[in-house]
Amino acid sequence: MHFQYYLIFLASFGLCVLLCGAEFPYLKQSVKADGSLSFLVVGDWGRKGLYNQSDVAFQMGEIGEKLDIDYVISTGDNFYDDGLKGVNDPAFVDSFTNIYTAPSLQKKWYNVLGNHDYRGDVEAQLSPLLREKDERWFCLRSYVLDAEIVEFFFIDTTPFVNDYFTHPKDHTYDWKGVLPRDKYLKDLLKDLDLALSRSTAKWKMVIGHHTIKSAGHHGIIKELAEQLTPILQEHNVDFYINGHDHCLERIGSIDSNLEFLTSGGGSKAWRGDVKWWNPEELKFYYDGQGFVSVALNQLEAEFVYYDVFGNVLHKFKVSKDSYLASQ
């Protein structure tokens, strides 16, 4: 990892960054004056406005203004079908800059990579040159965002999935920076475990593209369920938030407080593509386009799911003291 490169890149954001050895880069994000935060979560969106991407973006702008959001989180698959061809690929402007134009969305966008992003030039999405094209853009493979009352652990999940290596079909994946894979994954898991063990934040949220639990098309990604879930549970992570399945979803856990939230409705949705899931865990499922808003403080977090028309589909609150959810 080239730390000088990251220092130059991150300093241009005006953010405080700590880099220690080979560990995850740390970013600092301020809270509002009253100690609260609000943000939007959207995934699987980059289609040059098609498949209702522009409509979802409009509603994000409306809700973003009402909530006075501090930033946006993207759960990956930022550019379809095959990522970016390079830093000058017009898809960046056509699918991002020219779509999310609302004043409320002119905030930092914290992104992770999805499997479709890996089908293009991964380094392009990580490049500081994109920052020159649109100052909102921020993407690294894995990193930590420290927002005082909450820490977000952004994780590069695509290299975990065996099929992309053993059965790529007619797709070509950009594995530069990932190989040798075993070492990459071992280091990632070690660094995640270390970062979580050090966290003193009131809330802990892990952001990745791929599903761990889902009643949607991709269901359980076995590699993540086996390797990530024990770490999340050991360190009392509150939420794992993902995209990948083109739906909106909330799944709880019978054996812990960990919840799995899917926000992958940024553009193309998969109507009717839903599998049975234990009703004790499945709290909400919607097979259409939309996004999620989050508002939280030291004591409480509120999640609201919206459809492409801005209608509220589902909402719930979690109290940090009692961890009782009302819905």
Side-chain angles (χ1 to χ4, degrees):
M1 183 176 292
H2 303 292
F3 295 131
Q4 185 177 11
Y5 168 93
Y6 281 128
L7 283 169
I8 294 171
F9 179 23
L10 301 176
S12 70
F13 271 77
L15 298 172
C16 177
V17 182
L18 300 175
L19 294 170
C20 307
E23 299 161 17
F24 291 160
Y26 272 71
L27 287 73
K28 286 276 191 178
Q29 170 77 47
S30 299
V31 297
K32 292 183 173 69
D34 65 358
S36 67
L37 276 173
S38 58
F39 57 94
L40 304 180
V41 185
V42 66
D44 304 82
W45 42 266
R47 296 183 185 271
K48 302 179 182 179
L50 300 177
Y51 295 98
N52 291 337
Q53 183 194 359
S54 293
D55 296 316
V56 173
F58 175 80
Q59 296 299 339
M60 287 174 62
E62 295 290 294
I63 300 301
E65 182 175 355
K66 291 178 182 177
L67 295 179
D68 186 23
I69 61 168
D70 298 284
Y71 47 88
V72 178
I73 287 176
S74 167
T75 58
D77 275 3
N78 307 315
F79 302 99
Y80 285 95
D81 280 323
D82 299 314
L84 294 179
K85 295 181 175 66
V87 294
N88 294 316
D89 190 333
F92 179 75
V93 173
D94 294 341
S95 289
F96 178 60
T97 302
N98 289 351
I99 302 300
Y100 301 101
T101 57
S104 69
L105 302 182
Q106 307 309 303
K107 304 291 177 65
K108 295 292 186 295
W109 279 59
Y110 297 108
N111 301 272
V112 290
L113 297 168
N115 52 297
H116 282 268
D117 300 311
Y118 262 96
R119 295 177 188 175
D121 181 353
V122 170
E123 294 294 331
Q125 291 199 44
L126 307 180
S127 173
L129 295 177
L130 286 191
R131 165 68 172 81
E132 297 176 8
K133 297 177 182 295
D134 193 317
E135 65 181 4
R136 296 174 293 173
W137 184 261
F138 183 82
C139 188
L140 296 177
R141 295 183 193 270
S142 298
Y143 57 101
V144 179
L145 177 63
D146 179 357
E148 299 182 30
I149 58 175
V150 56
E151 280 191 349
F152 301 90
F153 304 82
F154 291 80
I155 302 302
D156 185 20
T157 58
T158 301
F160 282 90
V161 182
N162 292 331
D163 274 352
Y164 300 144
F165 293 86
T166 60
H167 298 88
K169 300 179 181 178
D170 57 346
H171 304 302
T172 300
Y173 292 88
D174 179 9
W175 297 127
K176 292 191 302 293
V178 169
L179 303 177
R181 181 190 177 205
D182 288 347
K183 182 180 186 305
Y184 182 84
L185 295 179
K186 180 180 179 181
D187 289 345
L188 192 160
L189 290 168
K190 179 185 69 176
D191 291 344
L192 174 62
D193 184 63
L194 179 61
L196 284 168
S197 69
R198 289 176 170 174
S199 177
T200 59
K202 196 75 170 181
W203 302 91
K204 298 177 187 178
M205 302 187 188
V206 175
I207 315 295
H209 176 66
H210 289 78
T211 56
I212 293 181
K213 286 185 177 183
S214 174
H217 179 80
H218 293 103
I220 298 172
I221 303 294
K222 183 179 179 182
E223 297 90 333
L224 293 179
E226 292 178 350
Q227 297 179 70
L228 270 186
T229 302
I231 296 175
L232 306 187
Q233 291 178 332
E234 178 184 353
H235 295 293
N236 298 312
V237 169
D238 300 291
F239 302 98
Y240 175 77
I241 305 176
N242 60 270
H244 200 41
D245 273 346
H246 296 189
C247 62
L248 302 174
E249 187 173 15
R250 175 190 172 204
I251 294 180
S253 300
I254 295 175
D255 55 350
S256 75
N257 288 327
L258 176 62
E259 294 204 51
F260 300 85
L261 312 181
T262 298
S263 183
S267 59
K268 189 176 183 180
W270 297 330
R271 290 287 188 183
D273 197 346
V274 56
K275 304 180 181 70
W276 182 90
W277 197 274
N278 185 342
E280 290 186 60
E281 291 191 339
L282 184 60
K283 308 297 183 182
F284 170 73
Y285 188 94
Y286 177 67
D287 59 350
Q289 292 118 342
F291 60 99
V292 177
S293 72
V294 185
L296 73 162
N297 55 37
Q298 286 276 6
L299 299 178
E300 190 175 73
E302 180 176 39
F303 293 78
V304 183
Y305 292 70
Y306 306 87
D307 69 10
V308 69
F309 304 107
N311 298 315
V312 174
L313 301 170
H314 177 70
K315 62 181 177 180
F316 68 99
K317 290 182 180 180
V318 174
S319 167
K320 195 60 182 175
D321 290 339
S322 62
Y323 219 102
L324 294 176
S326 60
Q327 51 193 330

